[in-house]
Amino acid sequence: MATYEWQPLQRNYDLESQRKSLVTEAALSHPLQSITVTDVKADKRGTQAKKKAEDVKKSSSFIDPLSSLGPLASSFEGSDPLSKIASQGIDQAPRGTRTKSEDGLDETFEPWSAKKAGILTKYTTSEKLSITTSFLSSADKEKMVIKSHASTTVTDKVRNRLEQLDDFEEGSVQEMLNLSQQDYVKRIEELNQQLITAWENDQRVKALKIVIQSAKLLSDVSVIQFYPSKFVLVTDILDTFGRLVYDRLKEKAVYIPAGSGVARSLPDNFTPDMVSEGAKETCRNWFFKIASIRELIPRFYVEVAILKCYSFLNVGEYNDALQRLADMIRGIGDPLVAIYARCYLSRVGILVAPQTKDHLMPCFDDFLTTYSQVHSDTVQNTLAVQKMEMPRYLTLFSPALDWLLQCLANKSSEKTLMEVLQKSKKHCNSALLLNSIISAFKPEFVAVRAVQFTDMIKECEDTGFPKHYLYRTLGLCLVMADPPEDQQLTVLNEVWKTVMKLKNPADYIGCSEIWIEYVVKHFGKKEVNKILADIIKHMTPDRAFEDFYPQLQSVVTKILAHIHDFSVLFSIDKFLPFIDMFQKESVKVEVCKNIMEVFVKHQVEPTNDPVIINATMFVCKTMHDSVNALTLDDERKMISNLIAGFIRNISFGRDFERQLSFYVECRSSFSNLDQVLVQLIQNVNDLSMETRRVVKGNHSRKTGNFVRACAAYCFITIPSIQSSVAQLQLYLLSGQCALLNQCYSQTDAFFKAFISLIPEIPKTLQVDGKTRSTEPILVEHIYNFLSTLLIVPDNPDAGVLYLLRGLLNILQNYLWETQTDYKVLVYTRVLALLSAMSQDSYLYHADRVDSNDSMYGSDPKFLNELKSMCSTLVEEVLSYLKTLAQSELYKRQSLVSLELFQTIVCHGDIREPSLFSLATKLWGLAQKHGELDTKIMVRCLNGVKSKAAASTIREYTELASKLSLESRT
């Protein structure tokens, strides 16, 4: 094999830079600017008149090129295309959202769908339930109790048949007993599905039977504590029925527009005169069928369910129907059943006719009139049988009463509120009612009368309904709307007098978690401290806090939502003792994470406040100490990010020694988190570079010792990191910082550690759950290291290029992947480095660091050493190329050949005959098997030609003439 002697090309970097610099031109048009079409028309005289789509805006005398009014931004007439797309995405409201005037409801109006889940969750039971129906699955037959009807005479038979027709049954009443709540919900869902199936199979009578039997369930109060949830489940069936009937009628009610003979379906905003007579007759038949139901409760509920169908009959029918149905409810004796009937009427009414409100105040008046029934013997006996106390019974009224009052308060004025207050005070003055009033009306209306409401709460009757519920509801209003400033303290004093006397921890914390936000919003740290102290006092006895961690977390969250100045927060004496109440580790860690999230987000300026540092260090230690071998990676990453954010936000200014001491303390406190250690090393390196900037690279003995201490900190800390890839990167980075600070022995130590670590790098790495090879990462770091070696001076005691020789020895013995060519690609980069080291003056230098060009001064012995290493590397690459002489490896052989060719052209002196010959052969080998893209070869050839044109070396021109492109056929 021929021997090729490497001859580096002597380069003039300044001249090359001048040749490659381009002449700048002003950008007159933006590449993303939309095309403006110019309409050119000729008038009668033959002259052309131009009409531009838009006028061009005149630019001012001076415009900041980076501002939104720059010369390029002006091309978009104030908005670039990408911003337009983004703004369109923001402006488009998501489907299903309600605007203020779209359906006649307030923006704050909470839809029923939002309340359902809360009702189902709150009102549960462990009692056994029963359900009466003719439509259950065959698997349930064994659980049924059949109510048979004995028929002895003709009169009995007639009576029996009439009862069957009235009940819409199919021969018998089937009652399923001893159902758990879960089974009951399942059976209700089955009824809903059977209703839909019957309707789709045109079994209208069966569908009506299912709905009637479902509505009858609402007259059953045998398990009274479950009644609100049962109401939610059954009314879902009624809503489904109402929707099916309405859609069917609308489908049948086609109309023929004036002047058109084609029948069309009704539009959404149709009027009764557009509905055909046949459809109207069908609609009336539905109402007639329902009117024939003998029992009041199913007749009422089923008619309300199809209330929307009145829109097919007459304009203004809703108002009369709603008032008539409201009067029907007066026939319901049970006060709980009656209030939920009014709830359903108002719920359907607000959907089909939101502007119609004439029925709402009479419903409210009827409730006030009949409220005294809750103390009747019938109700008391029912409660005694079911072992339910009056306070719990009254809470069953809340969902229905809240909804009725919310509908009454919708788009109402303060006058309505005053009227409701006067009536309630006159008739029942109940705490239950006052609670619903406060929650229903706009918080602004309540906040203006905050003192009045506190007086009313004191005066109202709390029989059965605890007043702490009212204070909680009032607090919810006052945190959403601010009371007058002169009332704020008065309200707090009046409320807290009562709250602090509460003995039950559940009642106390229920109020406290609401009112803490009111205190934080309107008062200072003194008042907040008093409230926290009172909470600690109430929650500490018998370790009551262990049962109320969610509420205590809510207190912390609300404090953090309003206090973003952590010097104020941590100066609250009782804040950290309050945090200490979270003695369950998982909960305490969550609270600490919340604190640090707010700190990282809102601590804009770095701080050195010792109060903040000590308190935040305590919080971070709590998070750090919770990490163990079982901690999930996402949790570990989140905690690491928060602690790293804390470290970044602590700065002691020019007191660098104090800053380093802080980092030493952090290292001892957070030693189990790699990401935090990486952050500390990065910060210490930045600290050493900041020291260099302050002294402008001219270190004194004191600053020199300090930057060496920084380097020692990094060198000691890096081995503590578990990730060897992170260690590799940090050794390189820390060595570069040490070099810039003229810490040569520390630089050697870092770079030696970098080289020694290469064999320990794992072959694969888990990235986002996928296994990735580490070779690309390793090669990237090696390239970075080679670029750094250009300016690293040799250690006189260690020999010429001892670091580079050590790297090459490691790479020679490294087990590279067989399907990659990274080894020889690194060799080509080393060739480029050695050629750069052969120059009289290097391409770049580090300030106040003497590189080898200054140390050796183009010493022939040094240059010969470089040439010898280059020749050896060339031989290694050529030997490697021979191992790729197999058909399946031709593409890799072509790529390596082209890489070495480009290295020779850019860094070798082709006036050396052996290099000229080698370059020609490599070109031929690169395209010998036709594996490379022709476009790549063309670009390489054009690069050689441009180099020939710019250089005085005629061999480039000769080389370009000998390089041919093989055509592919």
Side-chain angles (χ1 to χ4, degrees):
M1 183 177 68
T3 302
Y4 299 96
E5 182 179 351
W6 183 268
Q7 183 67 35
L9 177 65
Q10 293 300 313
R11 303 172 63 177
N12 187 333
Y13 293 119
D14 293 335
L15 183 60
E16 289 181 18
S17 177
Q18 293 175 7
R19 288 174 177 173
K20 290 181 179 179
S21 61
L22 301 176
V23 179
T24 58
E25 295 182 1
L28 302 178
S29 62
H30 199 291
L32 297 180
Q33 181 183 4
S34 57
I35 300 174
T36 302
V37 179
T38 303
D39 187 12
V40 181
K41 294 182 179 180
D43 57 14
K44 294 181 180 179
R45 299 179 182 178
T47 59
Q48 292 183 340
K50 295 183 179 180
K51 183 180 180 182
K52 293 186 177 179
E54 298 179 357
D55 296 333
V56 180
K57 294 183 177 179
K58 296 181 180 179
S59 59
S60 60
S61 58
F62 173 76
I63 300 177
D64 183 357
L66 299 180
S67 71
S68 59
L69 300 176
L72 298 181
S74 63
S75 304
F76 297 122
E77 302 295 334
S79 177
D80 65 274
L82 300 179
S83 298
K84 287 181 179 179
I85 295 173
S87 62
Q88 288 173 2
I90 295 172
D91 294 340
Q92 292 176 352
R95 294 182 181 179
T97 56
R98 185 181 75 244
T99 59
K100 186 173 182 179
S101 59
E102 180 181 337
D103 53 8
L105 302 178
D106 284 330
E107 286 180 330
T108 57
F109 191 92
E110 186 179 6
W112 180 256
S113 58
K115 292 178 175 287
K116 285 165 53 176
I119 295 174
L120 292 172
T121 303
K122 182 177 181 180
Y123 299 97
T124 59
T125 182
S126 58
E127 301 291 330
K128 296 299 182 180
L129 303 164
S130 64
I131 186 169
T132 304
T133 180
S134 302
F135 305 98
L136 289 173
S137 60
S138 58
D140 300 322
K141 298 299 184 182
E142 296 179 359
K143 301 180 183 179
M144 296 176 183
V145 177
I146 309 298
K147 294 181 180 179
S148 59
H149 299 272
S151 302
T152 56
T153 64
V154 175
T155 304
D156 292 335
K157 290 182 179 179
V158 172
R159 186 187 306 111
N160 187 16
R161 289 177 180 175
L162 288 174
E163 288 176 356
Q164 289 180 13
L165 291 173
D166 183 59
D167 292 338
F168 290 92
E169 295 175 352
E170 296 178 342
S172 63
V173 178
Q174 301 167 340
E175 185 174 10
M176 175 172 281
L177 302 174
N178 297 324
L179 294 176
S180 66
Q181 178 180 325
Q182 184 177 0
D183 291 334
Y184 190 89
V185 173
K186 182 180 178 181
R187 298 302 179 270
I188 294 293
E189 291 173 351
E190 285 180 4
L191 283 176
N192 201 354
Q193 189 58 45
Q194 289 181 12
L195 167 64
I196 298 173
T197 303
W199 190 271
E200 291 175 348
N201 295 332
D202 290 334
Q203 296 176 331
R204 308 285 188 249
V205 175
K206 181 179 179 181
L208 183 58
K209 292 177 184 179
I210 294 174
V211 175
I212 293 173
Q213 291 175 356
S214 301
K216 284 184 178 181
L217 298 175
L218 294 175
S219 61
D220 177 23
V221 291
S222 57
V223 184
I224 199 167
Q225 66 195 53
F226 185 65
Y227 192 86
S229 293
K230 180 165 66 173
F231 172 80
V232 171
L233 297 171
V234 172
T235 52
D236 279 348
I237 298 178
L238 295 168
D239 293 341
T240 301
F241 178 71
R243 185 179 68 255
L244 293 172
V245 173
Y246 180 83
D247 292 344
R248 176 61 178 162
L249 289 174
K250 187 178 178 183
E251 182 182 344
K252 291 186 64 176
V254 294
Y255 81 109
I256 301 176
S260 172
V262 181
R264 298 181 182 177
S265 58
L266 286 175
D268 291 337
N269 56 345
F270 68 89
T271 55
D273 58 330
M274 300 167 66
V275 181
S276 62
E277 284 301 321
K280 288 185 177 181
E281 187 63 27
T282 304
C283 182
R284 293 190 188 96
N285 286 339
W286 274 109
F287 285 110
F288 292 155
K289 289 176 185 176
I290 294 168
S292 66
I293 302 173
R294 188 172 63 180
E295 293 188 31
L296 173 60
I297 289 179
R299 182 170 75 248
F300 167 79
Y301 272 103
V302 178
E303 182 175 354
V304 174
I306 67 166
L307 189 66
K308 193 175 181 181
C309 296
Y310 276 115
S311 60
F312 294 101
L313 300 178
N314 299 309
V315 177
E317 192 76 27
Y318 284 135
N319 191 44
D320 296 338
L322 287 168
Q323 292 192 43
R324 175 175 53 81
L325 290 166
D327 293 340
M328 286 175 61
I329 301 174
R330 295 172 180 171
I332 300 176
D334 190 293
L336 183 65
V337 177
I339 189 61
Y340 275 94
R342 294 185 177 97
C343 171
Y344 189 60
L345 179 65
S346 59
R347 178 160 77 81
V348 176
I350 203 76
L351 290 176
V352 301
Q355 306 300 332
T356 304
K357 295 185 176 182
D358 294 344
H359 63 291
L360 294 175
M361 190 60 80
C363 282
F364 179 67
D365 292 340
D366 290 344
F367 168 76
L368 294 178
T369 303
T370 59
Y371 179 75
S372 58
Q373 291 179 346
V374 300
H375 301 292
S376 65
D377 293 341
T378 304
V379 173
Q380 295 297 327
N381 291 337
T382 302
L383 297 182
V385 169
Q386 300 192 31
K387 298 179 180 179
M388 177 177 283
E389 298 177 353
M390 181 58 72
R392 190 174 179 187
Y393 172 68
L394 290 179
T395 59
L396 301 178
F397 285 76
S398 294
L401 187 56
D402 288 348
W403 180 265
L404 176 61
L405 284 167
Q406 182 182 225
C407 294
L408 188 61
N410 178 51
K411 290 190 174 299
S412 64
S413 62
E414 296 183 61
K415 182 180 178 182
T416 305
L417 172 60
M418 298 307 298
E419 182 182 354
V420 169
L421 288 175
Q422 290 174 1
K423 288 183 177 181
S424 62
K425 190 172 184 179
K426 179 180 178 182
H427 288 88
C428 69
N429 195 26
S430 164
L432 167 69
L433 179 57
L434 186 57
N435 183 71
S436 296
I437 293 172
I438 296 173
S439 62
F441 283 87
K442 290 182 178 180
E444 292 81 2
F445 294 172
V446 177
V448 172
R449 301 168 177 79
V451 173
Q452 179 183 348
F453 273 100
T454 55
D455 293 338
M456 292 179 66
I457 292 173
K458 285 194 298 184
E459 296 170 2
C460 72
E461 300 174 3
D462 63 348
T463 307
F465 195 88
K467 286 188 178 181
H468 65 81
Y469 285 136
L470 280 80
Y471 286 120
R472 176 184 171 86
T473 307
L474 179 62
L476 288 171
C477 286
L478 297 186
V479 297
M480 290 189 286
D482 298 338
E485 191 171 347
D486 59 337
Q487 297 184 18
Q488 291 174 358
L489 184 58
T490 304
V491 170
L492 178 62
N493 289 334
E494 289 297 326
V495 171
W496 206 252
K497 284 178 186 177
T498 305
V499 172
M500 67 188 301
K501 294 177 183 179
L502 294 173
K503 301 299 182 183
N504 188 328
D507 299 341
Y508 175 81
I509 196 62
C511 291
S512 300
E513 69 161 321
I514 300 301
W515 280 92
I516 187 67
E517 186 172 4
Y518 175 82
V519 176
V520 174
K521 282 182 68 176
H522 301 298
F523 300 97
K525 66 178 184 180
K526 178 181 177 182
E527 289 77 9
V528 175
N529 193 57
K530 287 183 178 180
I531 300 297
L532 290 180
D534 196 55
I535 295 176
I536 295 172
K537 178 182 175 182
H538 278 77
M539 303 308 294
T540 303
D542 300 325
R543 301 178 67 86
F545 53 80
E546 292 181 346
D547 298 323
F548 302 101
Y549 283 140
Q551 291 85 349
L552 296 174
Q553 281 183 271
S554 176
V555 171
V556 177
T557 301
K558 288 168 181 174
I559 292 175
L560 294 174
H562 296 281
I563 300 181
H564 298 153
D565 186 345
F566 278 76
S567 61
V568 173
L569 178 66
F570 290 129
S571 64
I572 298 175
D573 296 337
K574 296 298 180 180
F575 182 73
L576 290 180
F578 185 88
I579 300 299
D580 285 336
M581 282 201 299
F582 297 97
Q583 296 189 8
K584 186 178 179 181
E585 185 184 46
S586 60
V587 180
K588 190 168 188 176
V589 170
E590 283 299 317
V591 173
C592 291
K593 287 196 291 187
N594 292 340
I595 295 173
M596 292 310 303
E597 284 173 358
V598 176
F599 178 82
V600 172
K601 181 178 179 181
H602 294 285
Q603 188 68 34
V604 180
E605 295 293 331
T607 181
N608 58 9
D609 188 331
V611 174
I612 295 179
I613 294 174
N614 292 333
T616 316
M617 182 71 80
F618 163 76
V619 172
C620 289
K621 282 182 179 179
T622 302
M623 294 192 298
H624 170 270
D625 294 344
S626 70
V627 176
N628 54 45
L630 300 179
T631 305
L632 297 176
D633 289 341
D634 288 345
E635 177 78 1
R636 184 186 296 268
K637 184 176 180 180
M638 183 178 185
I639 292 175
S640 298
N641 284 333
L642 293 174
I643 297 177
F646 156 66
I647 293 171
R648 287 193 298 269
N649 276 297
I650 303 302
S651 173
F652 294 93
R654 289 292 182 89
D655 193 347
F656 293 160
E657 292 182 354
R658 191 176 173 195
Q659 186 81 43
L660 183 59
S661 299
F662 168 73
Y663 292 146
V664 171
E665 182 183 359
C666 288
R667 181 178 62 187
S668 64
S669 300
F670 311 125
S671 57
N672 292 334
L673 296 173
D674 274 11
Q675 190 173 338
V676 177
L677 294 179
V678 170
Q679 182 68 52
L680 287 170
I681 294 168
Q682 296 275 27
N683 282 23
V684 171
N685 281 326
D686 184 64
L687 188 62
S688 67
M689 294 305 296
E690 181 64 25
T691 305
R692 178 177 181 270
R693 283 189 286 272
V694 170
V695 300
K696 298 180 181 180
N698 189 15
H699 284 293
S700 63
R701 174 178 294 183
K702 181 178 180 180
T703 59
N705 290 335
F706 178 77
V707 294
R708 281 189 285 275
C710 291
Y713 177 99
C714 296
F715 193 77
I716 293 171
T717 309
I718 291 175
S720 304
I721 299 173
Q722 296 180 359
S723 170
S724 55
V725 174
Q727 287 187 33
L728 193 74
Q729 181 181 7
L730 291 171
Y731 275 131
L732 177 58
L733 179 64
S734 301
Q736 292 168 341
C737 292
L739 176 63
L740 291 174
N741 280 293
Q742 303 137 48
C743 303
Y744 299 118
S745 59
Q746 286 78 9
T747 301
D748 282 356
F750 280 119
F751 287 162
K752 286 178 181 178
F754 173 86
I755 295 170
S756 302
L757 189 62
I758 291 177
E760 300 177 17
I761 299 297
K763 299 298 181 183
T764 58
L765 196 66
Q766 289 291 328
V767 180
D768 297 331
K770 297 180 180 179
T771 302
R772 305 288 188 190
S773 171
T774 57
E775 280 197 6
I777 302 173
L778 174 61
V779 170
E780 180 183 348
H781 288 0
I782 291 174
Y783 287 168
N784 189 344
F785 180 58
L786 292 175
S787 299
T788 306
L789 285 181
L790 179 62
I791 59 173
V792 177
D794 280 343
N795 187 339
D797 299 330
V800 177
L801 303 180
Y802 69 101
L803 288 174
L804 182 58
R805 290 181 185 277
L807 175 65
L808 291 175
N809 291 335
I810 291 291
L811 296 180
Q812 182 69 28
N813 298 322
Y814 185 78
L815 296 177
W816 299 88
E817 294 181 15
T818 56
Q819 66 271 25
T820 64
D821 305 310
Y822 285 122
K823 178 180 178 180
V824 291
L825 293 179
V826 171
Y827 285 170
T828 59
R829 296 301 90 213
V830 175
L831 279 173
L833 170 65
L834 293 172
S835 298
M837 287 181 170
S838 302
Q839 308 302 315
D840 294 336
S841 178
Y842 290 172
L843 177 60
Y844 48 85
H845 295 84
D847 186 33
R848 299 181 186 276
V849 175
D850 292 330
S851 302
N852 285 338
D853 57 344
S854 300
M855 293 183 63
Y856 291 107
S858 300
D859 182 70
K861 186 177 179 180
F862 173 69
L863 296 179
N864 289 334
E865 189 72 26
L866 296 178
K867 290 179 185 179
S868 174
M869 293 178 65
C870 288
S871 300
T872 303
L873 289 171
V874 171
E875 295 298 333
E876 288 286 338
V877 176
L878 294 178
S879 298
Y880 183 81
L881 281 172
K882 289 182 179 181
T883 65
L884 301 177
Q886 301 175 28
S887 58
E888 65 273 13
L889 304 177
Y890 282 159
K891 185 170 184 178
R892 290 170 56 187
Q893 186 185 59
S894 300
L895 288 171
V896 174
S897 300
L898 188 61
E899 183 69 24
L900 182 56
F901 168 80
Q902 291 175 324
T903 304
I904 292 173
V905 171
C906 293
H907 303 283
D909 189 349
I910 60 172
R911 289 174 292 189
E912 176 68 30
S914 61
L915 284 184
F916 186 93
S917 173
L918 178 58
T920 307
K921 292 177 182 178
L922 289 170
W923 176 267
L925 183 60
Q927 57 178 347
K928 179 179 179 180
H929 304 291
E931 294 287 345
L932 295 183
D933 189 354
T934 305
K935 294 180 180 179
I936 296 177
M937 304 303 293
V938 170
R939 283 199 294 269
C940 288
L941 181 56
N942 290 337
V944 176
K945 291 179 179 179
S946 63
K947 197 170 184 67
S951 176
T952 58
I953 302 175
R954 61 180 179 80
E955 279 76 9
Y956 282 118
T957 305
E958 184 179 347
L959 178 62
S961 64
K962 288 192 175 185
L963 301 181
S964 60
L965 293 172
E966 294 186 5
S967 59
R968 299 180 184 178
T969 57

